[in-house]
Amino acid sequence: MKLRLAGLRLTGPLSLYGGAFALAALMIDQASKLAVLHGVDFGDAGIVRILPVLDFVRAWNTGISYGLFSQGADGWWVLGGLKLAAAVLFWFWLARVDRRIEAAALGLLIGGALGNAIDRLAYGAVFDFVSLHAFGFYWYVFNLSDVAIVAGVGLLLYDSFLGGAAKLPS
C-alpha cells in the first residue's frame, strides 16, 4: 500500500523496514541519554572514566558537529528545525527505495536526526556524552544519534560505490 499526500509518496515497499531502523535508533539514543543523564554521577569534574579509552562526560552542544555554528540557548529551534526537515526529506526518499541497505541507511539517518531534534526541543541543546581517546588524542564528544547518522551515511556511501546503487548501464 502506498500512501500519498499532495502527489508525494509517503510510503513504499521498504518503509516499514526503514522505519524499524529509525525507531530502533531513536529509542536506543533516547534511552542511553536518559540513563546517562539520570544515572551517572559526573561529580564536580563532569567526567566519569569508563575504560582506559572511554569516558562519559556531560556536554551540551548548541551547534552542529564539533560544536560548529553554535546557536546558543535561544537559537535551538533553528538547528532543531533543520533536523526535523532532514528527517522528513529522508522519509520521502525512503518511500521511494527498493533496496534494504538503502532503507536501513535512511532509517538510521531519520532516527539519528529525530534523536538530536528531541534533545533540542527538550533541553535547548543536544546532550553528548561519549568521549573516546587514545595516546593523548581525544575524539569529539558524541552520542548514539551521531553514531546512527554516521552509520547511515556510511551505508549510503557503501551502497553507492560498491552496492547496487552505482551500477553502470550495460
Side-chain angles (χ1 to χ4, degrees):
M1 181 171 139
K2 295 178 186 172
L3 294 176
R4 292 186 175 271
L5 175 71
L8 294 173
R9 184 186 303 174
L10 297 177
T11 62
L14 294 174
S15 292
L16 284 177
Y17 182 79
F21 277 87
L23 184 60
L26 177 61
M27 290 176 59
I28 290 167
D29 170 68
Q30 290 297 298
S32 68
K33 288 174 181 171
L34 288 171
V36 172
L37 267 173
H38 300 291
V40 173
D41 180 9
F42 288 100
D44 293 334
I47 186 168
V48 176
R49 184 146 327 259
I50 305 297
L51 296 170
V53 296
L54 171 68
D55 299 334
F56 280 178
V57 299
R58 185 178 40 230
W60 294 99
N61 185 353
T62 59
I64 59 172
S65 295
Y66 308 106
L68 297 172
F69 307 114
S70 181
Q71 297 295 307
D74 295 329
W76 64 268
W77 55 271
V78 173
L79 293 175
L82 288 173
K83 296 273 186 182
L84 289 174
V88 168
L89 292 173
F90 289 140
W91 184 266
F92 285 131
W93 182 359
L94 173 61
R96 302 174 60 105
V97 303
D98 58 1
R99 287 184 322 283
R100 286 187 179 272
I101 192 168
E102 189 176 8
L106 291 168
L108 291 171
L109 290 169
I110 292 165
L114 290 176
N116 283 338
I118 287 171
D119 280 16
R120 290 192 190 283
L121 181 63
Y123 310 115
V126 174
F127 178 57
D128 292 328
F129 62 92
V130 180
S131 175
L132 295 175
H133 52 86
F135 309 111
F137 175 77
Y138 283 77
W139 193 247
Y140 72 101
V141 180
F142 60 94
N143 61 49
L144 298 185
S145 273
D146 300 331
V147 172
I149 291 167
V150 169
V153 169
L155 285 173
L156 285 176
L157 288 172
Y158 168 81
D159 188 45
S160 68
F161 291 118
L162 302 173
K167 300 290 185 203
L168 294 174
S170 0

